[in-house]
Amino acid sequence: MKNRKLVMIPGPTPVVRSIQDQMGRETVAFGDPGFINDVKQVVKDLKTIFKTEGEAFVVAGTGTLAMEMGIANVTKEGDNVLVVSNGFFGDRYIELCERKGLNVDVISSEWGTIVPVEEIEKKLSEKNYKAVTVTHVDTSTGVCAPVAEIGKIVKRFEDTVLVVDGVCATAAEPEYLDEMGIDVLITGSQKAFGVAPGLAIVLAGPKALARRESLGTIRDYYIDFEKWIPIMNNPGKYFGTPPVNLIWALQESLRIMKEEGIENRYARHKKVSRAMQAALEDLGFTILAEKEYRAVTLSNVIYMDGIDDGKFRKILAEEGAVVAGGLGAYAGKMFRLGHMGNIDTHDIVSTMSAIERTLYRLGVKDVLGKGVATLTSELVKVPELAK
Ligand SMILES: *Cc1c(COP(=O)(O)O)cnc(C)c1O
């Protein structure tokens, strides 16, 4: 019998049955009284969980649309923008901002490391930037930026709005907008939320909303905060047809999150990721990200000598786990393993065992049970709650 394939890539992540069920429901009119209440609930939950007095937007689109929405509402042509890049998705903001006619300065880190906060502070004190973009977890490197520290710094610069790309972090890494100084948080449905792809989710705090107001009419239409604010607050109104079933799926994902408790969810991700990373290192792999900046949502795993990327990922899929390849200079040298969202101990242990069986089939000796032993001995420890 064929193995079921666990989707352990950095998005889409496994979608649990109760969320799938929401997508299988009969679609109703967007003006349906029940659906109107559901949208209100989703908006309220997003603002409560991620702690902002501002606004929440849920629109059909992917994380990239959310990136565009995030920057388009807080800048206008000719503005200076600072892009802090820790990898591929950080770099994506460069072209995106340039196409909008923004003057872009970039500070990037070597892949696997972060841009030091002192460098960000130095840049901000040299020039007036209307916005700074930071990728919380860059999926290409598995590096997590110190967003809380960056937020503290940006808060001191009255004119600068902090836009955080949380596509691979939100719902797994702590992100509390107003207290952390995150002015715009952009994310998507298919990563740590554990919903199917298709929703762009954006949260905007008071500083970002004041900026939007000061801009008057902006060039972008579909992603204009001012088009959506009346809808998010009064979902019976029409602007663009809401993706009804995906919004229900997100509502279920938020219900799961509230049931688990957001702090517990953050602690779970930390525990699982550290256990996974320890086990991978025990098997002889190298984790790309420096230890203190490792993401909790995914691991970027460099092969030991003699392992062929194509063969490894093909056999691993046969053994029941799908992982992603490396990007950029790491293509062929690394695989990317997602361990975020609504996954449980079965998923984690099965994935580790499938990795061992794959190495065994590739001729690596003394590997069966080794990673699982490390992983499970870490998992049974009492969770060390987030510092
Ligand atoms: C996946 C990802 C994106 C892009 O999201 P899409 O839904 O693929 O458009 C942007 N930023 C980060 C950090 C991501 O991980």
Side-chain angles (χ1 to χ4, degrees):
M1 194 172 152
K2 274 193 181 164
N3 284 308
R4 272 183 299 123
K5 283 197 175 97
L6 287 166
V7 186
M8 304 305 279
I9 61 174
T13 60
V15 179
V16 296
R17 170 52 62 193
S18 69
I19 293 179
Q20 290 178 37
D21 285 347
Q22 293 300 321
M23 294 188 295
R25 280 174 68 184
E26 186 171 347
T27 306
V28 299
F30 64 82
D32 182 273
F35 180 68
I36 291 175
N37 281 332
D38 294 335
V39 178
K40 285 185 182 161
Q41 181 72 53
V42 164
V43 168
K44 183 165 164 251
D45 284 349
L46 286 170
K47 290 203 271 191
T48 308
I49 294 173
F50 302 108
K51 294 191 185 168
T52 183
E53 296 288 317
E55 300 281 352
F57 305 88
V58 180
V59 305
T62 74
T64 307
L65 185 87
M67 289 175 74
E68 193 149 6
M69 190 163 180
I71 199 74
N73 282 280
V74 295
T75 53
K76 63 172 190 316
E77 205 172 328
D79 282 351
N80 296 327
V81 171
L82 181 64
V83 171
V84 178
S85 177
N86 299 314
F88 178 89
F89 284 103
D91 289 350
R92 179 168 280 192
Y93 250 133
I94 302 171
E95 188 189 350
L96 201 158
C97 290
E98 280 173 349
R99 288 209 190 181
K100 295 195 178 297
L102 303 168
N103 297 322
V104 184
D105 287 341
V106 184
I107 22 177
S108 2
S109 63
E110 203 181 307
W111 280 30
T113 68
I114 58 155
V115 173
V117 288
E118 299 74 32
E119 266 185 50
I120 302 172
E121 187 169 19
K122 187 164 169 278
K123 277 277 185 195
L124 291 176
S125 46
E126 282 168 7
K127 208 192 236 186
N128 178 290
Y129 289 101
K130 293 295 182 191
V132 46
T133 71
V134 177
T135 317
H136 198 166
V137 170
D138 206 299
T139 325
S140 61
T141 62
V143 160
C144 181
V147 163
E149 277 178 68
I150 297 170
K152 263 188 215 145
I153 292 167
V154 179
K155 257 187 191 175
R156 300 203 324 258
F157 296 85
E158 256 174 53
D159 238 17
T160 312
V161 169
L162 176 59
V163 179
V164 172
D165 174 351
V167 181
C168 200
T170 310
E173 285 283 359
E175 288 173 334
Y176 299 124
L177 272 84
D178 297 355
E179 60 187 59
M180 286 169 67
I182 301 171
D183 301 308
V184 182
L185 177 66
I186 66 103
T187 190
S189 51
Q190 79 275 26
K191 297 193 186 178
F193 283 89
V195 173
L199 290 179
I201 302 163
V202 178
L203 287 119
K207 191 173 173 183
L209 294 171
R211 170 64 58 77
R212 171 64 198 90
E213 213 178 323
S214 76
L215 295 176
T217 304
I218 62 167
R219 287 197 175 193
D220 293 278
Y221 187 76
Y222 178 69
I223 53 175
D224 185 356
F225 283 175
E226 294 202 338
K227 292 285 184 201
W228 286 107
I229 289 171
I231 309 300
M232 292 298 148
N233 290 303
N234 187 357
K237 285 189 180 169
Y238 170 76
F239 174 56
T241 309
V244 175
N245 292 68
L246 275 172
I247 289 175
W248 279 332
L250 178 62
Q251 185 182 28
E252 173 60 10
S253 153
L254 292 164
R255 190 200 61 74
I256 292 170
M257 232 174 267
K258 288 187 288 182
E259 187 179 79
E260 181 175 16
I262 193 69
E263 292 287 339
N264 295 335
R265 191 177 177 90
Y266 295 146
R268 167 171 65 84
H269 277 85
K270 193 158 192 180
K271 183 172 83 160
V272 166
S273 60
R274 298 307 174 245
M276 206 64 162
Q277 288 154 359
L280 289 161
E281 286 177 326
D282 264 9
L283 290 177
F285 293 108
T286 306
I287 307 290
L288 172 63
E290 281 180 344
K291 204 153 198 167
E292 65 235 82
Y293 304 114
R294 282 184 189 167
V296 300
T297 46
L298 84 160
S299 297
N300 294 37
V301 190
I302 300 170
Y303 295 112
M304 45 289 231
D305 286 342
I307 302 292
D308 178 83
D309 174 51
K311 280 189 198 149
F312 178 87
R313 287 193 287 132
K314 182 174 170 283
I315 297 174
L316 184 57
E318 287 168 15
E319 293 296 336
V322 182
V323 297
L327 297 174
Y330 287 93
K333 297 189 177 126
M334 174 173 92
F335 72 93
R336 293 180 300 139
L337 174 69
H339 32 68
M340 68 185 118
N342 299 318
I343 52 170
D344 64 13
T345 314
H346 298 298
D347 301 324
I348 297 296
V349 174
S350 299
T351 300
M352 182 48 62
S353 173
I355 290 172
E356 290 175 355
R357 298 193 305 274
T358 302
L359 290 175
Y360 178 82
R361 282 178 60 185
L362 287 168
V364 182
K365 299 267 176 321
D366 300 327
V367 71
L368 296 178
K370 196 174 172 184
V372 170
T374 306
L375 178 77
T376 46
S377 56
E378 290 293 321
L379 287 180
V380 294
K381 284 184 194 161
V382 179
E384 187 213 339
L385 288 166
K387 276 176 254 162

